[in-house]
Amino acid sequence: MRGLFRWAVATGHVEQDPTRDASTTTPKTDGFHAWTEDEIERFEKRWPIGTRERLALALFLFTGLRRGDVAQLGRQHVRNGVITIRTEKTGTPIILPILPALQQIIDASPTGDLVFLASERGKPMTKESLGNWFRDACDAAGVPGSAQGLRKAGATRLANNGATVAQLEAIYGWEGGKMAALYTRTADRARLAREAISKLEKPETGTSIPEPSPKVRASEPKSD
């Protein structure tokens, strides 16, 4: 509305902008939903190895690349089992070994000549069409996920398995430590909570220091 009225004032359709002094607040969110392990399993059950949909899941999850990068990723980016690609968004060079699980899925899946993840006719897809197509695949699997959510799920899995800030930055092309620290900090909190929660339990009888007796020793009589 604010943009509309600014245009209306500038073009002479209205004399005043009623939104000029209106204050707005932007709700805080966690952004894209990060896939859970259960949601990944449901998607895999619906789309087995050999389908384009399963290939898409594997590429997003096992490379951590954004939608635009996966849309252009092909065999020309792979040499000796290692992916080398410059990211579309930031231009950061990414160097990633292909995991055996990913290679297995690529080998068993229909791919295009120029890209791994192609349309039904074998042609490259734009990142927009890829996103819409993958969204339909998620709906069919009954999961609320997205391509970006798989990127977050991969980072979460890595952090939970002990990946460092530097390692996460190398995989995802992040810089400055801020983004990677979000995942490692959450993983550290979960690990510390698991290690410490048992301390809330009352020690079993015989294993704890006995409580002091509530009786107070009587005072000794004073001597004359």
Side-chain angles (χ1 to χ4, degrees):
M1 292 297 292
R2 177 166 291 165
L4 173 63
F5 276 103
R6 285 178 179 174
W7 169 83
V9 170
T11 55
H13 290 283
V14 297
E15 295 182 355
Q16 296 182 348
D17 178 3
T19 69
R20 183 184 59 185
D21 298 324
S23 61
T24 59
T25 57
T26 302
K28 294 183 178 179
T29 68
D30 293 329
F32 289 95
H33 166 70
W35 290 50
T36 65
E37 294 296 334
D38 177 67
E39 289 165 352
I40 293 174
E41 291 178 4
R42 273 191 282 159
F43 189 98
E44 292 175 339
K45 185 177 180 180
R46 174 62 179 82
W47 302 108
I49 294 177
T51 62
R52 293 165 54 239
E53 290 81 2
R54 181 61 172 274
L55 174 61
L57 176 90
L59 288 172
F60 286 125
L61 181 62
F62 292 133
T63 69
L65 293 173
R66 296 182 178 89
R67 183 181 54 178
D69 299 319
V70 169
Q72 63 175 319
L73 182 65
R75 301 186 192 280
Q76 67 274 20
H77 297 105
V78 181
R79 177 173 294 182
N80 297 326
V82 178
I83 295 172
T84 302
I85 188 172
R86 190 172 292 274
T87 60
E88 177 191 53
K89 184 176 180 179
T90 64
T92 303
I94 299 293
I95 302 173
L96 292 171
I98 297 181
L99 293 173
L102 174 57
Q103 188 64 60
Q104 176 190 3
I105 294 174
I106 292 175
D107 293 341
S109 303
T111 59
D113 295 330
L114 298 176
V115 294
F116 288 127
L117 195 58
S119 67
E120 291 183 352
R121 297 181 179 181
K123 303 297 183 181
M125 292 186 283
T126 65
K127 63 180 180 181
E128 291 79 13
S129 61
L130 171 57
N132 293 333
W133 169 79
F134 190 68
R135 176 69 264 175
D136 292 339
C138 292
D139 291 340
V143 297
S146 66
Q148 183 65 20
L150 274 175
R151 180 175 163 89
K152 296 177 70 173
T156 299
R157 183 184 286 185
L158 283 166
N160 288 341
N161 288 334
T164 65
V165 168
Q167 290 170 335
L168 287 172
E169 289 191 330
I171 293 173
Y172 292 95
W174 294 325
E175 295 179 352
K178 183 177 180 180
M179 282 298 299
L182 289 176
Y183 292 94
T184 56
R185 184 163 56 246
T186 300
D188 288 343
R189 286 176 177 173
R191 176 181 56 79
L192 290 172
R194 288 194 300 268
E195 294 174 354
I197 192 65
S198 62
K199 300 182 186 300
L200 284 174
E201 294 181 332
K202 185 177 180 180
E204 297 181 1
T205 304
T207 61
S208 60
I209 299 175
E211 297 180 0
S213 172
K215 296 181 180 180
V216 178
R217 185 178 62 181
S219 57
E220 298 179 357
K222 297 181 179 180
S223 57
D224 296 336

